[in-house]
Amino acid sequence: MNISFEIVPRSLEAFDEQYSFVQTLDNSINIINVPDIQRFDTRSWELATRVDRSKYRFIPHFRAIDFKIESGELYRIIEEYALDSVLLVSGDPPEGLKRSFYNTDVVDLIRAVRQRFPNLHIYAGFDPHRSGVQDECDYIQRKVDAGAGGFFSQPFYDSRMIDIYAEHMQDLETYIGISPITSKASMNYWEVKNKVKFPKSFRPDYDWNVEFANSVIALAAAHGLNVYFMPIRIDLARYFAEIKLGG
């Protein structure tokens, strides 16, 4: 089983701090993935030079709405940074239309990148909270048909949903998202912004999230899946001290 650690590039200093922490964990973590967030100055792919790629696979995220396929800009970035893996997502339009964006469909982008780079590891995203299971699985299949070979999910908070999606993700390199929520405000954000329906047993505290993460690691291993951590704003040392990375 692979375990990925997502580092948000708020700044180079913030990235380096979390990257240093990852190196204190055991060798179970073997992937660093980096989202691309427009309000930050550092682009995801620029972190390729700050990750030891002999130790970690590096997977930067790219938002389809930021690239016009015909421009070839994404191809240039992949070649310039010698990327062997990318995660292609749709991306949300900028609030207030302060930035320009393109009406690029992520499925079209996956298809174009696959045609240009037949040996590239292309990952896409899936969201168990966005719509019904059948609609989401149909969308996953469209991405597979276009050339995606693996998937990173939005975080799960109900192991029953992992069981359901595991059946549909067979033969695909799938990473189940784990994102601890340790405050009521954060919980409210996920409910409103990302349409998460939490199980009745959920508690926004460290104990619940640690126990759930350990159960997800074991469940993913049983299903032949992988996991990735999205520890956005938590006490990393406190959280990971009780995480059983070895399964």
Side-chain angles (χ1 to χ4, degrees), residues 106-126:
V106 69
V107 174
D108 294 334
L109 185 63
I110 290 169
R111 184 177 295 108
V113 173
R114 170 58 69 217
Q115 290 174 349
R116 181 64 177 261
F117 301 99
N119 297 319
L120 185 71
H121 293 285
I122 300 177
Y123 298 92
F126 78 91

Side-chain angles (χ1 to χ4, degrees), residues 128-147:
H129 316 293
R130 173 167 42 201
S131 57
V133 173
Q134 187 60 56
D135 287 343
E136 192 64 22
C137 288
D138 289 345
Y139 194 24
I140 288 169
Q141 188 58 51
R142 288 176 57 208
K143 293 176 181 179
V144 171
D145 293 341

Side-chain angles (χ1 to χ4, degrees), residues 27-143:
N27 293 330
S28 296
I29 291 180
N30 54 359
I31 298 171
I32 300 292
N33 72 88
V34 181
D36 193 57
I37 301 176
Q38 288 295 303
R39 68 179 182 272
F40 300 139
D41 294 333
T42 304
R43 302 275 59 84
S44 63
W45 54 88
E46 295 172 349
L47 280 308
T49 60
R50 302 178 89 88
V51 172
D52 181 354
R53 293 167 70 182
S54 68
K55 183 177 181 181
Y56 301 102
R57 285 181 59 199
F58 173 68
I59 307 179
H61 302 201
F62 293 86
R63 303 175 348 135
I65 65 171
D66 295 331
F67 296 93
K68 186 176 182 180
I69 295 176
E70 296 79 8
S71 73
E73 175 65 9
L74 178 53
Y75 306 153
R76 182 194 65 77
I77 292 171
I78 291 171
E79 292 170 343
E80 178 180 344
Y81 288 88
L83 301 179
D84 55 18
S85 302
V86 296
L87 172 56
L88 305 181
V89 299
S90 295
D92 296 323
E95 295 183 7
L97 303 182
K98 296 178 181 179
R99 287 178 173 267
S100 61
F101 65 96
Y102 304 100
N103 292 318
T104 302
D105 186 276
V106 69
V107 174
D108 294 334
L109 185 63
I110 290 169
R111 184 177 295 108
V113 173
R114 170 58 69 217
Q115 290 174 349
R116 181 64 177 261
F117 301 99
N119 297 319
L120 185 71
H121 293 285
I122 300 177
Y123 298 92
F126 78 91
D127 188 345
H129 316 293
R130 173 167 42 201
S131 57
V133 173
Q134 187 60 56
D135 287 343
E136 192 64 22
C137 288
D138 289 345
Y139 194 24
I140 288 169
Q141 188 58 51
R142 288 176 57 208
K143 293 176 181 179

Side-chain angles (χ1 to χ4, degrees), residues 129 155-161 179-205 208-209 212:
H129 316 293
F156 282 82
Y157 295 96
D158 190 331
S159 58
R160 295 169 296 183
M161 291 298 294
S179 185
I181 291 177
T182 57
S183 72
K184 184 65 176 178
S186 182
M187 181 181 176
N188 291 341
Y189 172 86
W190 280 97
E191 286 179 318
V192 174
K193 180 73 173 179
N194 296 307
K195 302 179 181 178
V196 172
K197 180 67 174 178
F198 291 95
K200 289 185 177 180
S201 65
F202 178 80
R203 300 190 316 273
D205 59 37
W208 190 95
N209 281 275
F212 181 71

